[in-house]
Amino acid sequence: MNYTFQFGEVMAELPYLLGGALVTLQIVFFTFFLGAVLGLMGALGKVYGPTPLRKAISAYVIFITNTPALVQIFVLYYALPDAGILLSSMAAVLIGLTLNSTAYLTEIIRAGVVSVRQAEMDAAIGLNMTRLQILRYVMLPHIAKTIFAPLSNFFIWLMLGSSIAALFGVEELTGRAINVSSVNLRTIETFSVVAVIYIGLTLIASMSLALLGRVAFRVKARVF
Amino acid sequence: MFERLLFEAPDFFTYYNVIFLLEAAARTLGMTLIGCTVGFIAGLLIAVLRQSVNPWTLPLRVIAIAYVETFRRIPFLVIIFIVLYAIQPLMENASLLTIATIAICLVSTAFLSEIVRAGLESVPKQQIEGARTLNFGAARTLWYVVLPQAWRVILPPAIAFAVMFIKDTSLASHIGVVELTFSGKMFVNRGFSPLLGFGAVLVLYFLLSYPLSRLGTYLEKRLDPSRRS
Amino acid sequence: MTHLDVRDLACSYGSEKILKGVTLSAEKGEVVSLIGPSGSGKSTLLRALVGLTLPSAGEVRVAGKAVDYSSRKSVRELRSQLAIVFQQYNLFQNMTVMRNVTIAPITIKKRPKAEVEALAAELLARVGMEAKHDAYPEELSGGQQQRVAIARALALQPEILLLDEVTSALDPERVNEVLDTIRRLTDEGITMLLVSHEMSFVREVSTRVVMMDDGKVVETGTPSQIFDSPTHERTRDFVGMILKH
């Protein structure tokens, strides 16, 4: 075997690939923030809600976190049309990933909520703080500190996991890599370049998150 | 949608189809098991290597760090593509299952080495100093002192990782490995309703994953180092 | 011949100089105590002697033989003659009391298990821990752990024993049980170098006292010289302040 690497044709497609990275970022930000809002509601519901709601949320989290996102999206994309709901591939992927981020973020945020110590809550009540003040000054700083690291890890996980969108024809970074390599037939080169772009994206994300954590929450996060 | 499901069910749950699904589930489980075992052993070696302070191992340590950081920052799907096209010229007879398993081991090594490293670092420095002053060498310190104390920190996240990994192996379906997800696709292609085909697959994934994740949660509570035995 | 001879030993932590040339010695069977304010380098000196902190300059001789801290073989030989007991005991949390005491003689020195276990039982009885062979360190009080740690060090049959603030982490009512254990050892001819803040104990057991400050030896003398008629001002201040409490 005498394989010669040729990156020329791949590099010509770099702007197209970077455009795909932008689509990846859009998917990640959309599903992360929507998942965070729903996850916060889920976490509060799971800690403070009535028993049936708590059980329903638990069941949802357990089901989603114990089955592959890929197969969940298969169901959304291929089975829902039977019920008269036709989703575009992008919509199916966004819904599927949001279902997942909601489940994982519910668990992460819940762990943060229960980490607030009763002693601190008692002290706050003793100081005659209002419920809003307690949330703002006692609970939130504590929760932020506890969940920051798992939240950052999940963000990176989502960035990598969003590549499954390619399997539904969404033209994000991996999807565009498949397109490029099926034309230039330089699969290894194309995917190596894409791998480097992913490494760059996740490194930037890790460093920004570490910086954010240090400035906003005084969390000492490490990138490596 | 659900009437169709009930209508098709008798044709779907035939003896051969059930055996086929179970074999696919076994392949999913097998890939996960091999991946986690190889990944754990290789990850342990990398973690131990990274703890070394010997100047002779510096180049190896740099390679190990680069490896771990690289493979934790590339989507599994992209790694599968690269391994697929990189292995085929090297091993012409490599089966798709072999190729997927190689990709799995590469990734699990990177992630598990980080989990093991966190476990090794959780052992207080005083324990290691105590061993050193008793003339324990590096290997004996690791074997008698560090590992027996680190495993309770390593095990819960390692199991959580295995749970993630059962699901990640579903991506191997894309290159044609006949594991659970692929079997679901085959049923749908044969005309069964997607809800039935993929639904059955979801249930099987759940049956593989849920007991393991329960074990992980149990061990996390049980082995919490801050309140022993 | 001087049993332990330390000359101009220097140690740095990063850019900070912790030891700035320490010279001291101990004859065979002597009990030498190091006193001085915290941060004066007493613990660093002991850590450097066992090779946990690498010295940047100076010389250490044990029974006349120079130690080469950059050579693994030399350090291994040194540690077979010299044992240390730490402030935080450093017992192996994953092993029973018996295993803690016997593991090094059995696996490192390759001595017969039965013989080592008999010796360990004798040592544990001597430190008053004969009823706790199968206990794990976390089940013991600090004082009990420290006595096991002393037995563990003695099981190596060291010629020199280093004791690093072995009572500082203990509850006040536990201090005496550990001091009693050490007191009994001083009669057995083991050369000891100890760091302690228990001044009356230091005065009682030491053959010589070394006052350290800011990484250097300020003054050396017999206990009565140091405590009753210190010549150096730093020693006077330190002793005066300690004895007032």
Side-chain angles (χ1 to χ4, degrees), chain A residues 65-66 82 104 157 206, chain B residues 4 73 117 164 167 209 213:
Chain A
T65 56
N66 283 294
D82 276 359
Y104 284 101
W157 181 87
S206 297
Chain B
R4 189 176 159 195
R73 291 178 184 280
R117 186 165 74 111
M164 294 294 289
K167 296 176 285 170
S209 164
S213 66

Side-chain angles (χ1 to χ4, degrees), chain B residues 126-127 129-136 140 144-145 148-149 228-229, chain C residues 47 51 76 79 84 90-95 99 107-108 110 138 156:
Chain B
Q126 288 90 340
Q127 294 284 309
E129 290 187 342
R132 279 175 65 192
T133 57
L134 294 176
N135 258 341
F136 282 56
R140 283 207 177 92
Y144 288 111
V145 180
Q149 297 186 55
R228 256 190 77 178
S229 58
Chain C
R47 288 175 58 85
R76 204 172 297 157
R79 285 175 182 161
I84 185 167
N90 300 17
L91 290 180
F92 300 130
Q93 297 296 311
N94 54 315
M95 300 176 196
R99 185 97 171 117
T107 62
I108 312 292
K110 307 281 182 212
E138 64 186 359
L156 292 164

Side-chain angles (χ1 to χ4, degrees), chain A residues 1 3 62-72 74-75 78-83 100 104 153 156-157 159-161 163-167 174 178 187-188 191-192 194-196 198-199 202-204 206 222-224, chain B residues 1 4 50 65 69-78 81-82 85-87 89-90 111 114 117 121 163-164 166-168 170-171 173-174 181 185 188 193-195 198-199 201-203 205-207 209-211 213:
Chain A
M1 51 145 285
Y3 190 88
I62 287 173
F63 174 73
I64 293 288
T65 56
N66 283 294
T67 48
L70 180 62
V71 184
Q72 293 161 13
F74 276 148
V75 172
Y78 294 111
L80 282 185
D82 276 359
N100 277 273
Y104 284 101
N153 287 339
I156 303 293
W157 181 87
M159 211 170 225
L160 303 180
S163 64
I164 62 171
L167 301 185
T174 306
I178 295 174
T187 311
I188 297 183
F191 279 94
S192 304
V194 164
V196 171
Y198 271 110
I199 293 170
T202 54
L203 273 178
I204 293 169
S206 297
R222 62 179 199 192
V223 180
F224 294 108
Chain B
M1 182 159 81
R4 189 176 159 195
R50 286 183 69 172
I65 293 171
E69 286 305 319
T70 304
F71 278 81
R72 288 170 65 227
R73 291 178 184 280
I74 304 174
F76 186 41
L77 189 56
V78 172
F81 277 119
I82 296 177
Y85 284 90
I87 294 280
L90 296 174
F111 278 92
E114 282 298 276
R117 186 165 74 111
E121 284 178 359
V163 171
M164 294 294 289
I166 291 178
K167 296 176 285 170
D168 283 349
S170 67
L171 291 171
S173 67
H174 185 68
T181 305
K185 281 191 200 171
V188 175
S193 77
L195 188 64
F198 291 128
V201 166
L202 280 179
V203 169
Y205 270 113
F206 187 83
L207 292 178
S209 164
Y210 185 61
S213 66

